[in-house]
Amino acid sequence: MNLNSKILGITQVVITSIMINAQTTENKLPGDPTLVSSKATIEKLISYDKGNFKYKVEDYFARPKASQFKISPDGQYLSYKEKDKDSKNHVYVKDLKSGKITKALVEKDDLIRGYGWLDKKRLFYTQDKGGNENIHLYAADIDGKNLKDLTPFEGITLNSVRLIKDTEFVIVSMNKNNKQIFEPYKINFNTGEITQLYENKDVKSPIDDYLFDRQGNLRGYTILENGLTTKLYYKDLQTGKFNLVKATDWKDTFSVMSFNDNSKNKDEVYLVTNIGSDKSRIVLYDLKKNVIIKEVYSNPTFDVSSISQAGKSRNYELDYISYNGIKSETIPVSKFYKEIHDKLTSEFGDKQFGIVSSDDKNEKLLVVVDSDKLYGKYYEYDTKTKTTKLLFDLMPQLKEEDMAEMRPIQFKSRDGLTIHGYITLPKAALNGEKVPLIVNPHGGPQGIRDDWGFNPETQLFASRGYATLQVNFRISGGYGKEFQTSGYKQIGRKAMDDVEDGVKYAIEQGWIDKNKVAIYGGSHGGYATLMGLIKTPDLYSCGVDYVGVSNIFTFFDSFPEYWKPYKEMVKQIWYDLDNPQEAEIAKEVSPVFQIDKIKKPLFVVQGANDPRVNINESDQIVKALRSKGFEVPYMVKYDEGHGFGKEPNRIEFYKAMLGFFAENFKK
């Protein structure tokens, strides 16, 4: 089982971040509230963003009036989120025959993180408390009645959720009995009745993932042995015994995507693997015989790891394969989808499109169309009449002709690696002017990458005349196993070299004023911001650290119980703190120990309930710098977690950041 294939991204978060219980209580706020900058300080920052700008921060970061459209399984209803005057996003259901609209789900203090259809009369949604990521699963009728918390347990974490079609059940994986390990439960989404399906007893070598078929039968599982070896076991349908199929190093990919129910062979699955290849590819595999039936698709440059299958009405045939290359790529397979793909390609040209919702009979499809200059439009596609109809423009206030180009780039690192990335260029840069640059390292860092498409951040920066550089540095995902693993134990070192080489490349192209370069990022990107100001203090004018790690030692020490099985992986990706030599390196690349090297202005931003990068990480760097007489504006939101999800907080953050950049680019 490859660690990047978790449904909720749990294992990936394990490697790249921490999860702790940092919930706000009535008596004590998380962290040290005395460090937080005053409202006046933040308002002063905001005031520096002056100019006659066509677009405001709200134009990019106020949520759409309506969003997340979905078709009900029977095609009779259309659901969507709609924002009210208080910026709450409630879920509504529209009867497509009568036109009647009903408010089904009400968003109160906490965000509705995601929602969808369970069956033709019932919806689900997920929600945590203030961004703490202790996610609960809820269900309600389409009129809002019969609301049930399907996982009514305190302090638990959901690992995965799977709907069993045409039944009243979902299967969830949660750490209810033992906080270190996850076990599967079958839940009746009408009554709330819960049945545990399997016990996960071995804490040292726990079951890391469960393989269920479409009928909800447990067909296999993956064990993580001693933190470094994954073992896939598959159930023999004749004997009922679970047999070992494959044992792999945790860095290798051998992950079942789904059963191929289009085949009469009940042991046949679609599987993504990089065993015997550098790039992940898709194969058909016989789990009982333990052999590849055939190669389905591979790409010489990029990992391929996503497929879409039809539903029961078309016998689960394979519709298409997709992957992120330089841009998003889709490979049509079925005759049904080829016709749709050809039609949409002819209609939308070089824009990206994707099917985001469909009724069970595939008569009505909801298609989202976007590009680097288009935030997104929803279209309804009728597969019988082969016609499209515009349903909703998500951001009509943002005109494509005013948006900036996101240009794919490629360059060589100082040690010869091919590095991919993107630069978003304001019109002034295209007209030959040298413009300020904001370097934006991505989070993760491993297994994550930046993609081409509309990015509200880079477009906001372009509206102020700033270019944005996004580098897919070594350790990024999507470019093969060798490229990703080449960044292991290089966080803060060669991974930062790649970012710096990207800045050099951008300057050499003639786009950038080399005296006006800032660095900003979230999560690992926040860490990279701090390291950038330390490692190359003369390269940057200033930096913004958003929910970033400042101390690798406290970062690791904060792992909760259910991350302990992954400790050995963490050592291989970051640094083995039990090894004196690597511990010394970790200290050298922990920003809090290198504060004397920070000479340029820094703005720190944190969600108080962040379960991945605890507020202590931001508190530490702010306190350490201020103890040296270095003033640091510090924004904390006490109703947020790992990044700001609430509209007012997001808008205030981006206004303050723009002011911070404007003031420091003047110097």
Side-chain angles (χ1 to χ4, degrees):
M1 177 69 188
N2 176 261
L3 64 103
N4 292 334
S5 64
K6 288 290 190 183
I7 292 177
L8 295 181
I10 288 294
T11 311
Q12 193 169 70
V13 174
V14 169
I15 302 306
T16 63
S17 57
I18 64 171
M19 293 285 283
I20 65 167
N21 181 15
Q23 297 182 53
T24 304
T25 66
E26 292 182 0
N27 299 321
K28 187 178 184 301
L29 293 173
D32 184 351
T34 66
L35 297 172
V36 180
S37 294
S38 66
K39 182 179 180 181
T41 298
I42 299 302
E43 288 178 347
K44 186 176 181 180
L45 269 186
I46 292 172
S47 71
Y48 294 135
D49 181 41
K50 299 175 182 177
N52 185 24
F53 304 119
K54 184 171 183 178
Y55 294 103
K56 302 178 296 182
V57 170
E58 288 86 348
D59 291 321
Y60 298 95
F61 286 98
R63 297 201 182 279
K65 177 62 177 175
S67 61
Q68 296 187 33
F69 292 83
K70 301 177 191 293
I71 291 282
S72 65
D74 61 1
Q76 299 303 304
Y77 299 96
L78 177 70
S79 63
Y80 54 93
K81 281 187 174 183
E82 184 173 302
K83 187 172 68 173
D84 68 13
K85 60 181 179 60
D86 298 316
S87 298
K88 301 295 184 183
N89 286 268
H90 313 297
V91 175
Y92 291 81
V93 173
K94 179 179 181 179
D95 186 318
L96 295 175
K97 287 185 178 180
S98 68
K100 180 183 177 182
I101 297 174
T102 304
K103 183 187 287 189
L105 306 175
V106 177
E107 185 175 86
K108 297 179 181 177
D109 292 336
D110 293 304
L111 298 173
I112 294 176
R113 296 287 178 177
Y115 90 95
W117 290 88
L118 291 166
D119 60 17
K120 63 183 181 180
K121 294 292 186 181
R122 201 148 166 81
L123 297 163
F124 75 86
Y125 69 97
T126 56
Q127 196 170 58
D128 66 0
K129 295 290 184 183
N132 66 7
E133 295 186 18
N134 288 335
I135 296 171
H136 284 229
L137 178 68
Y138 298 86
D141 293 342
I142 58 175
D143 59 2
K145 296 178 180 178
N146 194 19
L147 174 65
K148 290 187 180 299
D149 182 350
L150 300 180
T151 55
F153 311 106
E154 290 301 317
I156 62 98
T157 300
L158 288 184
N159 193 351
S160 64
V161 179
R162 182 186 181 95
L163 172 65
I164 310 173
K165 287 285 290 182
D166 302 319
T167 74
E168 296 180 289
F169 299 98
V170 292
I171 294 175
V172 305
S173 179
M174 57 184 170
N175 59 344
K176 176 177 174 289
N177 294 325
N178 186 319
K179 293 299 180 278
Q180 287 195 28
I181 54 181
F182 293 86
E183 295 171 308
Y185 296 80
K186 187 176 183 180
I187 304 177
N188 186 307
F189 57 70
N190 286 317
T191 67
E193 182 182 356
I194 299 177
T195 304
Q196 185 170 342
L197 297 178
Y198 203 80
E199 287 186 292
N200 192 1
K201 297 180 179 179
D202 190 346
V203 177
K204 291 185 178 180
S205 295
I207 296 175
D208 183 57
D209 195 28
Y210 300 88
L211 176 62
F212 289 92
D213 62 21
R214 295 181 199 278
Q215 291 72 45
N217 302 308
L218 182 65
R219 299 282 297 278
Y221 51 80
T222 301
I223 284 177
L224 178 61
E225 188 173 84
N226 300 318
L228 293 176
T229 301
T230 57
K231 291 185 173 182
L232 173 62
Y233 287 83
Y234 177 65
K235 183 178 182 179
D236 187 302
L237 294 178
Q238 278 70 49
T239 67
K241 181 182 178 182
F242 287 91
N243 299 313
L244 177 65
V245 175
K246 184 80 70 175
T248 61
D249 183 85
W250 71 271
K251 298 187 202 72
D252 294 326
T253 301
F254 190 81
S255 177
V256 176
M257 306 168 79
S258 66
F259 284 92
N260 181 21
D261 289 325
N262 185 250
S263 170
K264 293 180 180 179
N265 180 359
K266 300 300 182 184
D267 302 308
E268 188 173 313
V269 297
Y270 287 103
L271 185 144
V272 58
T273 182
N274 60 12
I275 304 296
S277 63
D278 178 59
K279 308 298 187 294
S280 293
R281 65 197 194 280
I282 296 170
V283 300
L284 269 178
Y285 203 89
D286 188 311
L287 289 177
K288 183 176 182 179
K289 294 180 180 177
N290 198 8
V291 295
I292 293 176
I293 298 170
K294 71 173 184 177
E295 300 272 342
V296 176
Y297 190 80
S298 64
N299 184 279
T301 306
F302 303 102
D303 292 326
V304 181
S305 59
S306 180
I307 63 172
S308 179
Q309 290 172 274
K312 185 178 181 180
S313 64
R314 289 192 286 113
N315 197 32
Y316 309 105
E317 67 177 334
L318 179 61
D319 271 339
Y320 58 86
I321 297 153
S322 58
Y323 65 94
N324 278 323
I326 294 174
K327 297 182 180 180
S328 176
E329 301 288 348
T330 300
I331 313 300
V333 177
S334 68
K335 179 182 177 182
F336 177 86
Y337 185 74
K338 283 179 180 178
E339 291 182 357
I340 295 172
H341 186 78
D342 289 346
K343 170 66 176 176
L344 296 179
T345 299
S346 66
E347 187 156 343
F348 299 121
D350 60 356
K351 289 184 170 62
Q352 297 180 150
F353 59 83
I355 298 171
V356 295
S357 183
S358 169
D359 65 310
D360 286 343
K361 293 182 178 180
N362 295 145
E363 293 176 353
K364 295 177 182 178
L365 309 180
L366 294 187
V367 179
V368 168
V369 179
D370 68 0
S371 73
D372 59 338
K373 297 182 179 181
L374 174 64
Y375 186 93
K377 294 180 179 179
Y378 275 88
Y379 288 83
E380 181 184 296
Y381 181 76
D382 189 312
T383 59
K384 289 184 175 181
T385 62
K386 297 180 172 51
T387 56
T388 57
K389 180 178 68 175
L390 178 63
L391 184 64
F392 197 80
D393 185 346
L394 292 169
M395 290 288 192
Q397 72 274 19
L398 298 177
K399 305 304 180 185
E400 288 185 64
E401 60 267 23
D402 294 330
M403 297 299 106
E405 173 191 1
M406 177 184 272
R407 182 175 296 183
I409 59 172
Q410 180 179 312
F411 59 90
K412 288 289 185 180
S413 69
R414 64 192 67 179
D415 58 353
L417 285 182
T418 298
I419 308 293
H420 295 264
Y422 303 90
I423 189 161
T424 301
L425 296 167
K427 287 181 170 59
L430 298 178
N431 292 332
E433 296 180 38
K434 294 184 187 296
V435 300
L437 175 69
I438 297 172
V439 184
N440 183 215
H442 64 66
Q446 111 296 337
I448 306 296
R449 57 161 285 185
D450 285 312
D451 302 317
W452 185 87
F454 192 94
N455 186 314
E457 284 188 336
T458 66
Q459 292 295 340
L460 173 63
F461 298 152
S463 75
R464 298 319 193 249
Y466 310 150
T468 305
L469 175 68
Q470 297 168 290
V471 176
N472 284 327
F473 42 84
R474 70 191 71 198
I475 209 173
S476 299
Y479 299 95
K481 178 169 55 179
E482 183 177 347
F483 185 80
Q484 181 169 321
T485 58
S486 70
Y488 290 175
K489 297 187 186 296
Q490 293 298 329
I491 297 169
R493 299 195 291 168
K494 288 185 178 180
M496 290 301 302
D497 290 348
D498 295 343
V499 175
E500 295 155 17
D501 292 345
V503 176
K504 180 182 177 183
Y505 169 85
I507 292 172
E508 288 174 347
Q509 306 314 301
W511 299 317
I512 305 305
D513 181 345
K514 65 179 181 180
N515 296 314
K516 295 182 179 180
V517 180
I519 184 168
Y520 149 67
S523 195
H524 164 266
Y527 164 82
T529 293
L530 297 175
M531 281 306 302
L533 296 179
I534 289 165
K535 187 171 180 289
T536 50
D538 296 329
L539 184 60
Y540 301 111
S541 303
C542 59
V544 178
D545 163 22
Y546 185 32
V547 297
V549 175
S550 68
N551 183 338
I552 294 174
F553 294 84
T554 54
F555 177 55
F556 288 1
D557 285 344
S558 299
F559 283 2
E561 290 300 305
Y562 54 92
W563 292 147
K564 288 184 178 179
Y566 305 100
K567 184 178 180 181
E568 296 304 314
M569 291 185 191
V570 177
K571 290 180 179 180
Q572 292 199 10
I573 289 180
W574 287 73
Y575 300 99
D576 183 354
L577 303 184
D578 296 325
N579 179 314
Q581 290 180 322
E582 291 194 26
E584 185 60 33
I585 294 171
K587 186 174 182 180
E588 291 172 1
V589 295
S590 286
V592 76
F593 299 116
Q594 311 293 330
I595 59 168
D596 289 341
K597 298 176 183 177
I598 296 180
K599 307 296 183 184
K600 301 295 176 63
L602 173 68
F603 177 28
V604 177
V605 183
Q606 181 69 43
N609 304 318
D610 191 340
R612 306 188 191 187
V613 178
N614 179 245
I615 191 173
N616 181 46
E617 295 299 310
S618 290
D619 278 3
Q620 282 184 75
I621 198 71
V622 170
K623 187 178 294 185
L625 284 168
R626 287 181 181 171
S627 71
K628 298 288 185 179
F630 194 97
E631 184 51 42
V632 182
Y634 185 26
M635 174 185 285
V636 175
K637 295 299 179 183
Y638 288 95
D639 55 351
E640 297 283 11
H642 195 61
F644 295 174
K646 296 184 177 180
E647 184 177 303
N649 295 336
R650 287 159 60 90
I651 290 172
E652 184 184 6
F653 164 49
Y654 284 104
K655 285 183 175 180
M657 180 161 54
L658 284 181
F660 180 78
F661 288 144
E663 178 67 8
N664 287 292
F665 281 148
K666 289 179 182 178
K667 298 177 181 178

